[in-house]
Amino acid sequence: MYKNVIITGASQGIGKALAFEYADQISNLVLLSRNESAIESIADDITSLGGKAYFKKCDVSDIAQVIESVEYSKKVLGTIDLAILNAGTGNPEWMGQFKSDDLVKVFGTNVFGISHFLEFLIPIMKEQGHGTIAGVSSLADARGYGGSSSYCSSKAAASVLLESARVELKKYNIDVITIKPGFVRTAMTAKNEFHMPFLMDTGKAARIIRKGIEKKKSIIQFPFGTVMFSRIIKYLPNWIFDPAVRMSRKEPRK
Ligand SMILES: NC(=O)c1ccc[n+]([C@@H]2O[C@H](COP(=O)([O-])OP(=O)(O)OC[C@H]3O[C@@H](n4cnc5c(N)ncnc54)[C@H](OP(=O)(O)O)[C@@H]3O)[C@@H](O)[C@H]2O)c1
């Protein structure tokens, strides 16, 4: 059980569901996202349910806002026992119209939105003598799927970064958990035009994530069918992978 929890990207989707999952008497929450009115209203709802939630506007790609958010969290919570770094972005995009700046923006949230927090959370958790950092990556980290080059490469980078952190921070009693969901029904997946197997609701995803964090799993990946599918795909030779991806994820005609 965690007393003091911060969640990034808490305004909607998986982050919002996680906020309600932790909205019991035990956890004091700080909700972070760019949409201040959304997190304010979620914090109000949590308070009316008997929980305790603070909120602060934070663009995770902006290191100055991350510093302010970590300082604010430390001030109102006292300790930061669990940080769920969930904020993420991804849009369909095709290599025929590739813009490096789009990739920079996606990495700004999905990779640097984690690394900025690592820089300021690690000293706090070292001083506390404990802490858990749970970063949300994706099962899309396995390969370069069609129509999502920036997203897949950012999640691969996030997974490897979190793995290094997990290995090295254990000696400070800091647990690092990598969360790799399959398809979850949110605004992000609503943009997808391809079939999404084993699509699940945010509430179920949040329950799986909370249970996995409580068990201190090093990797929380779900659902089982997509995990198995991703494992097979990871080791497919290119002569099978490339045409299969071209067929299953076609660029829409303009
Ligand atoms: N849905 C899926 O199938 C799926 C699968 C695998 C992994 N994931 C990962 O799960 C996480 C949550 O995704 P979701 O599906 O819940 O998406 P979502 O509904 O689009 O929510 C994304 C959240 O991230 C926040 N966010 C985006 N950019 C941000 C930024 N620069 N600074 C701060 N917050 C930012 C958004 O809040 P504001 O707009 O208010 O800032 C929002 O709360 C992401 O990391 C995503 O990659 C999702």
Side-chain angles (χ1 to χ4, degrees), residues 11-102:
S11 63
Q12 59 178 37
I14 297 171
K16 179 178 175 182
L18 279 166
F20 283 103
E21 193 56 35
Y22 279 92
D24 47 33
Q25 311 276 352
I26 293 152
S27 297
N28 302 314
L29 297 171
V30 174
L31 310 178
L32 304 168
S33 92
R34 294 167 303 179
N35 184 341
E36 197 171 16
S37 59
I39 44 176
E40 179 173 14
S41 132
I42 294 166
D44 286 348
D45 289 347
I46 288 173
T47 308
S48 66
L49 289 170
K52 198 165 182 189
Y54 304 86
F55 63 94
K56 181 150 182 66
K57 186 175 172 161
C58 176
D59 181 335
V60 299
S61 66
D62 179 343
I63 196 160
Q65 292 188 40
V66 171
I67 296 171
E68 276 179 24
S69 300
V70 173
E71 282 172 353
Y72 172 79
S73 303
K74 178 92 176 80
K75 197 171 120 203
V76 296
L77 298 176
T79 58
I80 301 173
D81 305 316
L82 168 64
I84 306 181
L85 308 179
N86 158 78
T89 187
N91 286 304
E93 48 168 346
W94 298 91
M95 290 307 290
Q97 295 80 44
F98 183 73
K99 288 201 172 59
S100 177
D101 193 44
D102 292 341

Side-chain angles (χ1 to χ4, degrees), residues 144-165:
Y145 294 105
S148 47
S149 54
S150 302
Y151 186 75
C152 293
S153 55
S154 71
K155 291 301 185 182
S159 293
V160 176
L161 172 66
L162 289 164
E163 180 158 73
S164 296

